Amino acid sequence: MESCIFCKIIKGEIPAAKVYDGSKFIAFLDISPANKGHTLIIPKRHYVSLEEMPDGDGKEFGELQVKLGKAVMKATNAEGFNLLLNNGKAAGQEVMHAHIHIQPRFSSDDFHYKWTHKKYDDGEMQRMQEKIKQFL
Ligand code: AMP
Ligand code: ZN
């Protein structure tokens, strides 16, 4: 993808503070971090969202999240971390090359994930449960 900023990072056309470079994924520091040490993991192959992730790549992707999450925590002395994946525009994705954020967190930091909690009507939760299971 010619115009994709993350593809340019993969090709070395623009700089990035890389912390991991594997056969299928790379990881680098987010340029505008939520907290210092905020890291992004991206696939080397250009695709927009997880629905397009090739079969079998999810295993390495999941393992990297754990490995890098631990490394980021140690490097930043964080008390925890958030994994955030904005999958699709409606979910807040701005760079349209799939990526997951590892955000080191401190009890004293200044940001919060907030959403209004919805309520299920009678029987709706069970219907949703069955519907999701159907698609697995
Ligand atoms: P999202 O809203 O999930 O699409 O997040 C995109 C993230 O990419 C943001 O947190 C940006 O700060 C980050 N970002 C954009 N351009 C760069 C870049 N050149 N190097 C590192 N991070 C970047
Ligand atoms: Zn790309």
Side-chain angles (χ1 to χ4, degrees):
M1 264 289 259
E2 292 290 295
S3 60
C4 172
I5 192 139
F6 285 177
C7 281
K8 286 185 179 160
I9 288 175
I10 290 159
K11 286 190 246 160
E13 290 172 7
I14 60 167
K18 260 190 239 171
V19 295
Y20 174 84
D21 193 345
S23 60
K24 290 181 177 160
F25 297 93
I26 65 165
F28 53 89
L29 296 183
D30 193 297
I31 207 163
S32 307
N35 278 323
K36 290 172 187 170
H38 180 166
T39 297
L40 302 173
I41 307 173
I42 71 170
K44 281 188 161 173
R45 216 176 110 179
H46 179 92
Y47 49 84
V48 175
S49 63
L50 287 198
E51 300 97 283
E52 299 166 70
M53 181 179 273
D55 287 346
D57 284 12
K59 186 169 181 282
E60 188 178 329
F61 187 50
E63 282 171 359
L64 270 175
Q65 291 164 37
V66 176
K67 200 172 166 154
L68 279 157
K70 286 181 188 169
V72 167
M73 272 193 82
K74 284 185 186 147
T76 58
N77 290 319
E79 296 158 60
F81 64 92
N82 287 109
L83 291 172
L84 173 69
L85 200 152
N86 299 324
N87 201 58
K89 265 210 173 79
Q93 184 174 0
E94 288 183 1
V95 175
M96 302 318 271
H97 178 130
H99 55 277
I100 191 161
H101 301 252
I102 299 171
Q103 300 171 326
R105 296 297 308 274
F106 305 88
S107 42
S108 59
D109 68 29
D110 61 350
F111 78 103
H112 308 278
Y113 289 109
K114 279 205 172 129
W115 61 86
T116 53
H117 294 267
K118 314 283 186 301
K119 280 200 163 53
Y120 286 108
D121 294 330
D122 280 352
E124 199 182 4
M125 194 172 185
Q126 288 70 29
R127 286 196 297 278
M128 183 59 74
Q129 177 186 15
E130 288 312 316
K131 214 168 166 182
I132 292 173
K133 283 163 69 181
Q134 264 177 26
F135 288 105
L136 286 177

